[in-house]
Amino acid sequence: STTYGSRWTALHYACFRNNVECIELFLAHPACTKQIVRMKNMRGSTAQMLAKKRDSSRLIEEFLEKTDNVQTGNVGHENDEQAMLKIMTLTDFTDSIERIESVESTLMQAKKSLEVEHKKEIEKLEEEHKTIIEQHKTKLNETLERHKKENVKSSKDLANTQNKKQALHAELQQKAISFISSSPAGKPLPSSNTSVSLIPECHICMEVMKPPLQIYTCDNGHLICSTCKPRVNRCHCTAVYRGRATAMEQMVRQILGVA
């Protein structure tokens, strides 16, 4: 190395101070090259030129004897690793190669181990994902099947309800016809308060539904007069008014003795 600013090497200082032992050590070192020996300081002097200026015949002899054995190299460009390689023995090289191969083997084993672990982890996640999907499919199928059964049951219940309503409606009409037919022909029923109380009232206007009012009925048999029906879409039981209760109208006429 050189001193900052002056560009003096250690060899310059050894020659300047007539230190023969240091010069021998420097010139014998494997890292010492001819370019290092020939390096010049700020004034353009090499170490050998300083030796000549000191008029030291012994120093000059050392340079003449040692310089020819100094290796050729690039000035200032040999790093520590290159210098270390020059002084390494064959055994050192073998040991270094073995250590490198050992490290590479360890790295390869670690890589393979990680690959195996990653593969196992991926397979585990895939299996868990598959299990979750199967569970969701099972739950979905169970839910669909339950809804299907409930829809079938609801359809049956609705059909049974409609049949019951129709049966009740038919029974009501039959009773009304039977009541009318059981009265003496051409004779009105007694027009007493009891007979009038038999005439049904409209549940909207609360008036007795006498002729010429028409009587309408919903699916559940509730009655409404023709005056209130245009103002009401559905019965209080939410059923729709289907049509006229002709049997009830006939019964009312029979009670009142109206032809």
Side-chain angles (χ1 to χ4, degrees):
S1 62
T2 59
T3 304
Y4 180 77
S6 65
R7 296 182 63 183
W8 276 49
T9 64
L11 197 57
H12 280 90
Y13 282 106
C15 291
F16 182 77
R17 298 180 181 276
N18 292 325
N19 194 327
V20 179
E21 292 181 356
C22 286
I23 293 173
E24 290 178 350
L25 290 174
F26 290 148
L27 295 177
H29 197 278
C32 183
T33 63
K34 289 183 179 181
Q35 286 81 357
I36 293 176
V37 174
R38 295 170 184 170
M39 286 182 67
K40 297 180 180 181
N41 59 13
M42 293 295 293
R43 296 184 178 181
S45 299
T46 64
Q48 190 173 2
M49 294 169 64
L50 289 177
K52 290 181 179 179
K53 287 180 181 180
R54 300 293 293 176
D55 194 19
S56 175
S57 58
R58 185 179 178 188
L59 291 176
I60 295 172
E61 289 176 359
E62 284 292 334
F63 270 103
L64 293 176
E65 181 180 353
K66 300 291 184 181
T67 302
D68 292 337
N69 296 327
V70 174
Q71 301 178 12
T72 302
N74 295 325
V75 179
H77 293 285
E78 289 187 342
N79 53 30
D80 295 338
E81 291 181 358
Q82 291 173 331
M84 183 64 67
L85 289 174
K86 291 180 179 179
I87 61 176
M88 288 177 67
T89 63
L90 182 60
T91 303
D92 295 332
F93 273 112
T94 304
D95 293 340
S96 298
I97 291 172
E98 289 178 353
R99 286 196 298 271
I100 292 172
E101 290 178 349
S102 177
V103 172
E104 289 179 348
S105 177
T106 302
L107 291 175
M108 289 299 295
Q109 292 178 356
K111 182 181 178 181
K112 290 181 179 179
S113 178
L114 286 175
E115 289 177 351
V116 172
E117 290 180 0
H118 289 168
K119 185 177 179 181
K120 290 181 179 179
E121 188 67 23
I122 290 173
E123 290 177 352
K124 180 181 178 182
L125 291 175
E126 289 178 348
E127 188 65 25
E128 291 178 354
H129 183 66
K130 183 178 179 181
T131 303
I132 292 173
I133 290 176
E134 291 297 330
Q135 290 176 352
H136 284 300
K137 284 183 178 179
T138 302
K139 290 181 179 179
L140 178 60
N141 292 332
E142 291 176 353
T143 303
L144 292 175
E145 187 66 23
R146 185 175 68 254
H147 287 173
K148 183 178 179 181
K149 291 180 179 179
E150 290 176 354
N151 289 335
V152 172
K153 184 177 181 298
S154 298
S155 298
K156 290 181 178 180
D157 292 342
L158 180 61
N160 292 333
T161 302
Q162 292 292 340
N163 292 333
K164 288 180 180 179
K165 288 180 180 179
Q166 293 177 0
L168 289 173
H169 186 68
E171 184 180 356
L172 177 62
Q173 289 183 340
Q174 185 64 34
K175 287 182 178 181
I177 293 172
S178 298
F179 179 80
I180 294 171
S181 60
S182 63
S183 299
K187 293 183 179 180
L189 293 175
S191 56
S192 60
N193 293 333
T194 304
S195 299
V196 174
S197 64
L198 296 176
I199 301 174
E201 294 180 350
C202 175
H203 70 279
I204 300 297
C205 63
M206 305 305 293
E207 295 291 337
V208 176
M209 292 183 287
K210 296 180 181 180
L213 290 176
Q214 295 176 345
I215 302 174
Y216 290 86
T217 180
C218 72
D219 291 337
N220 291 324
H222 299 132
L223 303 176
I224 187 172
C225 68
S226 57
T227 303
C228 297
K229 182 180 179 298
R231 297 183 286 110
V232 180
N233 295 326
R234 290 179 178 272
C235 178
H236 60 83
C237 66
T238 71
V240 178
Y241 291 106
R242 297 294 181 184
R244 291 174 60 182
T246 55
M248 183 60 68
E249 291 178 358
Q250 293 176 5
M251 184 180 71
V252 171
R253 287 192 183 94
Q254 184 69 27
I255 293 173
L256 297 176
V258 178

